[in-house]
Amino acid sequence: MSECTLLSGNEAIALGAHLAGVHFATGYPGTPSTEILEALAQGDYEAVRVQWSINEKVALEVGIGASLAGRRTLVTMKHVGVNVAADPLMTLTYMGVKGGLVLVTADDPGMHSSQNEQDNRNYARFAKIPVLEPSDSQEACDMMNTAFELSERFDTPVLLRTTTRISHSKTPVTPGQRTESPVEPGFTKDPSKSVMIPAYARGRRLVVEERSGQLAKLAEESVDAPPHLSRVEMRSPDVGIITGGIAYQYVREALPDASIFKLGMTYPLPMEAIRSFAQMVDRLYVVEELDPFWETEISAAGIEVTPTGLSSVGELGAPAILQTIGAGDSIVGAEPAGGIPVRPPVLCPGCPHRGVFFTLRRGGYAVTGDIGCYSLGVLPPLEAMHTCICMGASVGAAQGIEKALGEDAPNTVAVIGDSTFLHSGMTGIADAFFNGSNMTTLILDNYTTAMTGHQGNPTAGYDVYRSEAPRLEFEPLVRGLGVDDVVRVNPYDMQALESALKSAQETRGPSVIIVEGACALLPWAEHSPPYRVTDECIGCGMCLRLGCPALRRKGTGKRDQVLIAADLCTGCGLCAQVCPQSAIVTEGDDQ
Amino acid sequence: MPRIDDVLVVGVGGQGIILATDVIAEVFLRAGFDAKKSEVHGMAQRGGSVESHVRRGESVHSPLISPGRVQVLLALEGLEALRYAHTLNPQGTIIFDPQRIPPLSVATGAQEYPDDLTDQLSRYAAQVTEVKGYEIASKLGNARAQNSVLMGALASLTELPRDLWLEVLDSRVPAKAVEVNRRAFERGLESMSENR
């Protein structure tokens, strides 16, 4: 078991959780966190029970139960997921744990796959809990054990924060030994610690303060001493840098001679050790990605910090550090070539969402959107999404537009995927029923959580182990939420969808249209023979407005005929439906 | 020629770029080096432009190669080669597959696909080599082995033994595709000696 292998940060967290004796793990998929639970489920770790929860709040609540039952528990999510789980988190910090509880937040500086780049170190200060940040996969693996020990020793949830470049970079890992939690499993009834009515919460509030002091003391004591949360690397005394996480790697690359104070537990800070370090170097810098979180704390402690001039927006990198602290002796790349056609991500050939956005655009609807592959409906040529805020927000936003403008409101439709609807769209529908809204919601049910890589959810019919799971039916669900006008539509029949939309807009009370069709990338999705373009094509380009990667013009002329790449076409037939010349045909049409 | 330590693999989501850098990084590691690789998953994969960094050395820090330091740019698609060409060290090599995958903006006629790729690429590199990976792999019966052809071409620029590459490749591709990927790799290796 001691062989060195390349693991992503996420795989290393899964391995580390197993080695730390985790018994229960849950979370909600979200880039860049998703692969942690997948690796844990695929890892053949018999002692670990893994499951996807319906959203991050439920995940943390289930996790709290598991911890109270005395089991080491891992809960994972992306940075914005912690917003959803913040409600239980802010009270969990008062309650503490029984079995260790580690909450992994995977942040996304640069917003590679997110709607914002919030810095979740702020949650550590907000919730008064420790946060650990690994700088590579080996640390991610090793820190899991430390995190669980700290959680149990200090009776606190522990935040482990990664960023995209930690989660999705592969670096060598040599695993250590597996340990078991010393905690005896079993649920103990202890209301004054676990029932946060005001009378008990006031008592726990004092415990939190006391714990904060103990954690600050631990931070000081563990610099270059067990459990080795932070370390000092003395090199040249000219420049000293306080850093941690992925930023540590960028600093090492850019400034190999600099002395470094490397933070492993990045809140609370070992302020006295930092003060001593500051006295050993001529100039002290703080290099951190996103918010000036450490710099603010360190400056507030009266330690003089030289401003770096680094941006608090987006990802850091070695070049930026060289150009600022390194005083410009950097190699910069050449100028990028000009006029290169852009290549944003696109809906896949055969995607069941394509016809929906084509129809919505043609109908001139105002579309409140949501989080998923279908967020791509905002991009040309479909351009049929007008808001996208957070998980589930499409439903509320559509009602708000209707309520604010009444008769003058545009024809508004909320568009939300199956997993997102279950995550936090259901409450918006019940709210619309209660408040007498006439809004229309389209549930795009492709039977999976597609964007993050086909994770199971309550309508997918399979779980994190890809084993069969019970299926929840949308129609009775939305009827139960008060919607009488519910119809089911085939996503590849745009005429049917158009009629359903018109009828829904005319109906009083909330309407729901369930658009049912499997994600074209699911292994069991049924594809039809490919279509082809006949000589009847006049090059009008109507089919190209679908934005299907299988379609393109034969040449560079504006009226050149279109051709269909047979190896990409799934035979969905949308292009044939929009062709005014009936020039797009398939096998059966030839006879 | 200096040892090849920093390789950037680029292309279009779905071309097997992540698998390719998994193989390259593991070859580096098994050859006794520190190795790291990095890319972005999620939304960027849906037919979008993809870049994946692979590095080796006695000790590697940043998983990302700084602009201007890429030694080999391995591109599974021509337009993507041009998009990342500026990250190359001017002494470096571009190996690109001339297969064209027009992005939507080109398919709809809003933008044009450059037709002087090799000329444009030559401005950024000491050597530019075309390797028809897609065509070769398709003729071998499995277009998905395109990435193995390109890996073979990359392998020819390294001192690392052919058997090590094949051993890692075998362990990473589906059992039924081992043979075609081996042949694709060999064809990539050969194509580079033909080019010299």
Side-chain angles (χ1 to χ4, degrees):
Chain A
M1 204 44 198
S2 63
E3 202 191 335
C4 175
T5 51
L6 282 165
L7 295 182
S8 70
N10 284 348
E11 291 166 334
I13 287 170
L15 175 61
H18 157 69
L19 295 174
V22 155
H23 275 264
F24 183 76
T26 187
Y28 184 79
T31 312
S33 71
T34 314
E35 299 86 354
I36 301 170
L37 291 193
E38 291 188 321
L40 204 51
Q42 287 155 13
D44 196 23
Y45 306 133
E46 272 181 30
V48 191
R49 156 90 209 175
V50 188
Q51 64 189 41
W52 287 121
S53 287
I54 202 162
N55 69 28
E56 294 88 350
K57 179 175 183 289
V58 173
L60 184 54
E61 290 157 352
V62 175
I64 292 170
S67 163
L68 291 180
R71 294 298 199 183
R72 285 195 168 177
T73 301
L74 175 70
V75 183
T76 70
M77 56 195 64
K78 69 183 291 172
H79 59 333
V80 287
V82 181
N83 302 338
V84 180
D87 203 356
L89 176 64
M90 297 306 290
T91 301
L92 168 63
T93 180
Y94 285 28
M95 295 166 55
V97 304
K98 186 176 173 196
L101 190 147
V102 176
L103 173 61
V104 174
T105 168
D107 292 12
D108 189 17
M111 295 174 269
H112 296 285
S113 202
S114 305
Q115 65 269 40
N116 77 25
E117 62 172 6
Q118 68 186 47
D119 186 333
N120 275 7
R121 288 176 298 170
N122 291 297
Y123 270 112
R125 187 158 50 201
F126 194 22
K128 303 177 196 293
I129 55 175
V131 58
L132 306 185
E133 292 189 76
S135 294
D136 59 25
S137 299
Q138 182 71 59
E139 285 189 8
C141 183
D142 297 343
M143 270 184 183
M144 288 310 287
N145 195 41
T146 311
F148 281 103
E149 281 179 5
L150 293 184
S151 177
E152 286 163 6
R153 183 171 149 205
F154 292 90
D155 197 7
T156 178
V158 171
L159 202 57
L160 187 127
R161 175 182 182 252
T162 72
T163 53
T164 299
R165 297 298 178 184
I166 296 295
S167 279
H168 287 172
S169 293
K170 289 194 175 180
T171 74
V173 176
T174 306
Q177 292 294 315
R178 186 163 192 273
T179 55
E180 283 288 345
S181 166
V183 179
E184 199 62 40
F187 180 75
T188 317
K189 293 172 183 167
D190 187 358
S192 66
K193 187 170 186 289
S194 306
V195 181
M196 287 300 97
I197 55 169
Y200 294 152
R202 284 183 203 113
R204 295 300 302 174
R205 175 72 187 86
L206 299 173
V207 174
V208 170
E209 281 313 293
E210 199 181 312
R211 185 182 72 201
S212 292
Q214 289 165 357
L215 286 165
K217 190 158 167 279
L218 168 80
E220 299 290 355
E221 289 167 357
S222 59
V223 180
D224 290 311
H228 293 280
L229 297 176
S230 298
R231 67 170 183 262
V232 176
E233 300 174 4
M234 278 312 291
R235 297 185 188 88
S236 157
D238 298 346
V239 170
I241 295 182
I242 297 161
T243 189
I246 191 66
Y248 166 79
Q249 304 293 357
Y250 300 146
V251 169
R252 289 289 287 128
E253 172 114 0
L255 308 168
D257 297 330
S259 294
I260 294 178
F261 195 113
K262 187 200 175 290
L263 298 166
M265 182 163 82
T266 67
Y267 184 88
L269 293 178
M271 208 55 87
E272 292 317 307
I274 290 172
R275 203 182 300 278
S276 310
F277 178 72
Q279 283 159 5
M280 291 191 286
V281 296
D282 294 344
R283 267 171 304 145
L284 182 74
Y285 295 97
V286 179
V287 175
E288 55 195 321
E289 208 166 45
L290 299 181
D291 293 351
F293 182 83
W294 303 321
E295 189 170 340
T296 306
E297 293 257 330
I298 292 165
S299 300
I303 299 167
E304 193 187 343
V305 176
T306 311
T308 58
L310 287 163
S311 172
S312 60
V313 178
E315 287 193 295
L316 268 186
I321 294 165
L322 261 174
Q323 280 156 26
T324 51
I325 305 172
D329 59 340
S330 66
I331 298 176
V332 276
E335 280 293 306
I340 302 179
V342 294
R343 195 191 297 276
V346 288
L347 295 176
C348 305
C351 177
H353 303 327
R354 176 170 286 109
V356 171
F357 288 106
F358 187 88
T359 307
L360 289 171
R361 184 172 180 191
R362 196 162 53 180
Y365 291 94
V367 179
T368 58
D370 228 298
I371 311 278
C373 293
Y374 49 94
S375 304
L376 295 170
V378 68
L379 297 177
L382 293 165
E383 296 178 289
M385 183 173 292
H386 309 106
T387 71
C388 178
I389 307 155
C390 66
M391 295 288 284
S394 59
V395 185
Q399 194 201 151
I401 292 172
E402 175 201 338
K403 289 294 167 64
L405 297 176
E407 296 275 294
D408 298 328
N411 285 335
T412 308
V413 174
V415 175
I416 184 166
D418 46 38
S419 193
T420 310
F421 183 77
L422 296 166
H423 179 286
S424 47
M426 294 188 282
T427 43
I429 296 286
D431 189 83
F433 164 70
F434 170 61
N435 288 302
S437 165
N438 294 316
M439 66 171 296
T440 302
T441 303
L442 286 181
I443 300 175
L444 307 186
D445 184 8
N446 62 358
Y447 312 144
T448 188
T449 310
M451 190 165 86
T452 43
H454 293 161
Q455 286 71 36
N457 69 49
T459 64
Y462 60 88
D463 62 15
V464 69
Y465 298 98
R466 307 273 154 167
S467 304
E468 205 175 318
R471 270 199 83 168
L472 197 151
E473 295 289 332
F474 273 120
E475 188 171 339
L477 173 67
V478 292
R479 286 194 189 282
L481 292 170
V483 183
D484 290 333
D485 181 32
V486 186
V487 292
R488 299 154 84 136
V489 174
N490 170 353
Y492 304 111
D493 185 346
M494 289 193 284
Q495 218 162 18
L497 179 61
E498 205 173 310
S499 323
L501 278 164
K502 277 194 185 130
S503 149
Q505 294 280 317
E506 285 158 13
T507 306
R508 288 198 60 78
S511 303
V512 168
I513 301 170
I514 306 166
V515 187
E516 294 174 309
C519 169
L521 296 185
L522 278 172
W524 42 272
E526 287 174 15
H527 295 171
S528 302
Y531 280 71
R532 62 183 176 80
V533 182
T534 68
D535 249 355
E536 304 291 311
C537 174
I538 55 167
C540 68
M542 181 58 88
C543 56
L544 296 174
R545 293 189 203 172
L546 285 162
C548 176
L551 270 57
R552 64 185 161 94
R553 289 190 193 277
K554 282 179 183 166
T556 53
K558 295 271 180 231
R559 303 292 285 186
D560 280 1
Q561 288 188 331
V562 170
L563 62 81
I564 296 175
D567 57 338
L568 295 179
C569 178
T570 66
C572 80
L574 289 178
C575 52
Q577 288 176 45
V578 303
C579 178
Q581 295 297 110
S582 304
I584 301 180
V585 298
T586 185
E587 273 175 2
D589 301 337
D590 291 345
Q591 275 100 51
Chain B
M1 191 169 65
R3 192 179 76 196
I4 303 296
D5 286 350
D6 292 330
V7 180
L8 184 67
V9 183
V10 302
V12 179
Q15 283 191 304
I17 293 151
I18 291 172
L19 178 79
T21 49
D22 275 350
V23 170
I24 300 165
E26 192 165 335
V27 167
F28 286 172
L29 185 77
R30 288 205 201 172
F33 296 91
D34 188 14
K36 289 187 178 178
K37 62 158 284 190
S38 185
E39 71 263 330
V40 171
H41 303 184
M43 204 180 206
Q45 268 184 74
R46 300 269 175 257
S49 171
V50 174
E51 58 171 319
S52 182
H53 300 238
V54 200
R55 313 190 68 189
R56 68 163 158 170
E58 278 60 47
S59 174
V60 179
H61 296 296
S62 171
L64 302 173
I65 311 165
S66 294
R69 294 199 173 171
V70 173
Q71 292 172 289
V72 178
L73 176 63
L74 197 67
L76 278 75
E77 201 272 348
L79 182 61
E80 296 312 309
L82 189 57
R83 193 184 311 284
Y84 295 97
H86 64 281
T87 63
L88 201 71
N89 179 317
Q91 304 306 310
T93 303
I94 297 176
I95 298 171
F96 81 102
D97 192 322
Q99 182 210 7
R100 283 185 174 210
I101 303 177
L104 271 188
S105 58
V106 171
T108 57
Q111 284 185 294
E112 276 181 28
Y113 198 101
D115 52 12
D116 56 346
L117 271 178
T118 310
D119 287 352
Q120 285 206 56
L121 292 174
S122 304
R123 275 183 246 144
Y124 294 97
Q127 197 197 336
V128 179
T129 307
E130 245 187 57
V131 173
K132 293 181 175 142
Y134 182 79
E135 195 181 303
I136 292 169
S138 302
K139 281 183 186 159
L140 290 173
N142 187 347
R144 297 193 61 78
Q146 175 194 15
N147 53 4
S148 293
V149 182
L150 274 286
M151 276 191 272
L154 171 70
S156 77
L157 301 180
T158 71
E159 82 292 0
L160 302 166
R162 181 177 146 278
D163 287 348
L164 175 61
W165 285 93
L166 288 173
E167 187 186 309
V168 176
L169 186 65
D170 288 356
S171 72
R172 289 295 178 134
V173 298
K176 60 177 196 262
V178 163
E179 204 41 50
V180 69
N181 276 285
R182 277 183 157 245
R183 292 219 301 272
F185 180 87
E186 300 281 6
R187 291 291 305 276
L189 257 177
E190 291 158 16
S191 73
M192 291 297 276
S193 49
E194 288 156 17
N195 275 317
R196 289 232 175 90

